[in-house]
């Protein structure tokens, strides 16, 4: 339920209303949009009589929210959420490129890629240290050593870093990691989401391989309802009957998620396609569809990459892609 309180309502009256609502067992999130004060009610609202509230002098309107996702719902928060990671802004008209290898492999590799992508305009460095691999015989990542190397690349370039967490036990290793990624396979690991919701880390939540947008937003809700509002959504392709690509990039998810939610929405064309030559057209399509950014896998030696080489683009390809994404962005979204 959303309660629009008249702008000129005095603080005492507002506090009385909020206290009463809280006594009915709901959590109240208050924000102002300039025209009115918006009270977003989270939790079980069956003890709040909407007609009674609507009849209060200070209330202009009561809207029942039928969607099960509340905190992430745009109805609760009409303006885009802008997340600030060490001065890099994500969402709200900013365009953010996250780039780097699938996995951190060595100091030389991560530092070379970090320098190259930064030079081309990427603002955040990605690199997996704990890798969710289909086969237990595949490279599993350098684990905490990988995080150390990422931090070295961060010191060298000044770029904030993002890396995937697989279980809450490794959270201490992520202390200096700026953005914690929850991968597609863990999108519905609810205990992990709740724990991350108790931190103040920025969370990059990837859509599950076979999850609906509703389920995706409910996973964001797990993090947000535990206290952490810093969530970035990432469309990374879903499983369909098509086998020519690794996954199918759900382009419509981008404008839809932006309509449904105020959270920043980025796209990952690398995991969506699994094919390096498709990264560019899919990235440009995502930018055209209004994505707030992209996350792309870049490797300095894709043929010898320990993970996801076939979908990794080279630094020079990233550089040209970056220029074209900015061109598309400036033409289609010139005000932003
Ligand atoms: C990744 O980004 O390295 C990754 C494993 O992605 P996803 O969870 O989308 O498969
Ligand atoms: Mn990968």
């Amino acid at each position: 339920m959303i309660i629009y309180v008249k702008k000129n309502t005095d603080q005492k009256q507002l506090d009385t209303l909020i206290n009463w609502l809280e006594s009915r067992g709901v959590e109240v999130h208050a924000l102002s949009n300039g025209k009115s004060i918006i009270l977003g009610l989270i939790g079980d609202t069956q003890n709040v009589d909407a007609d009674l509230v609507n009849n209060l002098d200070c209330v202009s309107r009561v809207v029942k929210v039928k969607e099960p996702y509340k905190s992430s719902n745009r109805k609760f928060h009409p303006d885009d959420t802008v997340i600030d990671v060490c001065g890099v802004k994500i969402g709200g008209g900013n365009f953010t490129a996250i780039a780097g290898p699938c996995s951190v492999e060595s100091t030389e590799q991560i530092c070379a890629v970090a320098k190259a992508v930064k030079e081309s305009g990427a603002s955040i460095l990605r690199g997996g240290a704990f890798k969710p691999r289909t086969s237990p015989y595949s490279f599993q990542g350098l684990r905490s050593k990988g995080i150390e190397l990422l931090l070295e690349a961060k010191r060298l370039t000044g770029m904030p870093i993002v890396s995937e967490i697989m279980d809450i036990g490794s959270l201490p290793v992520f202390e200096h990691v700026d953005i914690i990624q929850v991968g597609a396979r863990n999108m519905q690991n609810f205990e992990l989401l709740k724990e991350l919701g108790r931190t103040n880390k920025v969370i990059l939540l990837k859509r599950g391989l076979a999850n609906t947008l509703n389920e995706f937003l409910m996973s964001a809700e797990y993090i947000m309802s535990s206290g952490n509002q810093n969530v970035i959504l990432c469309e990374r392709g879903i499983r369909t009957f098509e086998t020519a690509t690794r996954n199918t990039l759900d382009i419509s998810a981008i404008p839809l998620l932006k309509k449904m939610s105020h959270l920043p929405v980025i796209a990952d064309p690398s995991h969506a396609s699994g094919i390096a030559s498709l990264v560019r057209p899919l990235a440009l399509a995502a930018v055209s569809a209004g994505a707030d950014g992209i996350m792309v896998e870049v490797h300095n030696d894709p043929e010898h990459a320990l993970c996801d080489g076939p979908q990794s683009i080279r630094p020079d390809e990233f550089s040209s892609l970056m220029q074209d994404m900015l061109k598309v962005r400036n033409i289609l979204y010139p005000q932003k």
Side-chain angles (χ1 to χ4, degrees), residues 101-103 126 131 246 271 297 307-308 311:
C102 178
S103 307
R126 65 150 285 148
K131 294 303 303 175
R246 187 175 177 182
H271 292 89
E297 286 186 346
C307 184
D308 285 350
Q311 68 191 35

Side-chain angles (χ1 to χ4, degrees), residues 102 126 131-132 164 181 183-185 206 236 271 295 297:
C102 178
R126 65 150 285 148
K131 294 303 303 175
E164 177 169 353
Q181 175 174 319
R185 290 154 192 82
K206 298 188 89 174
R236 47 77 73 204
H271 292 89
M295 177 156 84
E297 286 186 346

